[in-house]
Amino acid sequence: MIIKTAEFQCSNTRTDKLPPALLPEYAFIGRSNVGKSSLINMLVQKKGLAKTSQTPGKTQLINHFLINENWQLVDLPGYGYAKTSRSNRADWQKFISFYLRNRENLQCVFVLIDSRLEPQKIDIEFCSWLGENGLPFQLIFTKADKQSRVKTDQAVGKFRKALLGIFEEVPQHYITSAETQDGRDEILYFISDLNKTFTR
């Protein structure tokens, strides 16, 4: 897939204000500071489209982007950390879960995992929640350029093994780097393929 256009559409804290569900939609989510904004910018080749920050938990809204005028990319708030009140975090979790369970044009959830870390309980629990709710998801392991491929492969293996304690099959995964653009073509190919099957 060649990315010709990538435009910001809107930010929301209310699911009733989301764009009409007319185009295939792909959501990106992960623990705060997993490198989500950098990955999104790398995928669409537009620096600064998704706002990056050194402060974990910066994304606090559902952000919609229109790509090639025929599919939507959704940047969801990170989970697991945010410098905000517990009640605010609970509100975010409520509207994120409502969005994920009810957005009829949502084709796939991409769950971002830091490839440098041991399997994190919160990531496993979130994947389990997606499975329980029948939501299709794929795994994206980020920041692979920060360590050797051997260490990345070991981390991926451990995470997949942890998921096999919950799922009969583990979803497809991608090893990525916002710096080297590893994984970009594979993710865009998957999206392009799924777009062909989308019906309103």
Side-chain angles (χ1 to χ4, degrees):
M1 180 195 297
I2 297 171
I3 302 297
K4 297 177 180 177
T5 58
E7 305 294 336
F8 171 75
Q9 278 185 296
C10 59
S11 293
N12 278 293
T13 55
R14 290 179 51 180
T15 50
D16 60 338
K17 298 291 185 182
L18 297 177
L22 301 176
L23 297 173
E25 197 159 284
Y26 301 86
F28 289 73
I29 191 169
R31 284 190 320 116
S32 297
N33 217 24
V34 74
K36 178 162 51 69
S37 297
S38 296
L39 178 94
I40 289 171
N41 293 336
M42 179 270 281
L43 285 177
V44 301
Q45 300 280 273
K46 192 167 184 179
K47 194 173 182 180
L49 184 69
K51 303 302 181 187
T52 59
S53 171
Q54 296 302 310
T55 306
K58 187 70 173 177
T59 306
Q60 300 177 10
L61 304 161
I62 295 179
N63 295 309
H64 270 75
F65 302 95
L66 179 63
I67 314 300
N68 287 350
E69 298 186 359
N70 66 4
W71 62 277
Q72 287 161 317
L73 186 157
V74 184
D75 182 5
L76 292 175
Y79 53 79
Y81 178 92
K83 286 188 175 178
T84 185
S85 68
R86 185 173 295 178
S87 61
N88 276 354
R89 285 201 298 273
D91 287 343
W92 294 348
Q93 289 170 355
K94 193 180 296 182
F95 87 81
I96 294 166
S97 63
F98 184 87
Y99 161 79
L100 290 171
R101 284 187 281 108
N102 294 280
R103 187 68 168 167
E104 58 195 37
N105 60 328
L106 180 62
Q107 301 300 292
C108 184
V109 181
F110 289 103
V111 182
L112 277 62
I113 309 294
D114 191 326
S115 67
R116 302 169 299 175
L117 304 179
E118 292 287 313
Q120 302 291 300
K121 182 182 177 184
I122 194 166
D123 291 328
I124 302 296
E125 288 177 347
F126 183 70
C127 290
S128 177
W129 181 87
L130 290 172
E132 288 167 5
N133 284 274
L135 293 165
F137 70 97
Q138 307 264 287
L139 303 170
I140 295 180
F141 291 89
T142 63
K143 306 184 181 184
D145 60 292
K146 307 296 184 187
Q147 63 183 3
S148 70
R149 183 59 189 244
V150 171
K151 286 187 175 180
T152 297
D153 288 344
Q154 288 173 345
V156 171
K158 288 179 181 177
F159 195 88
R160 291 178 64 85
K161 184 177 180 180
L163 283 189
L164 282 171
I166 303 168
F167 297 92
E168 289 185 7
E169 284 185 63
V170 177
Q172 186 172 332
H173 75 268
Y174 307 89
I175 294 173
T176 69
S177 163
E179 298 296 322
T180 64
Q181 303 201 9
D182 284 357
R184 179 176 184 268
D185 291 345
E186 292 85 350
I187 294 169
L188 291 179
Y189 179 83
F190 171 79
I191 291 172
S192 177
D193 217 34
L194 212 50
N195 283 347
K196 295 173 187 174
T197 65
F198 178 76
T199 54
R200 294 181 184 177

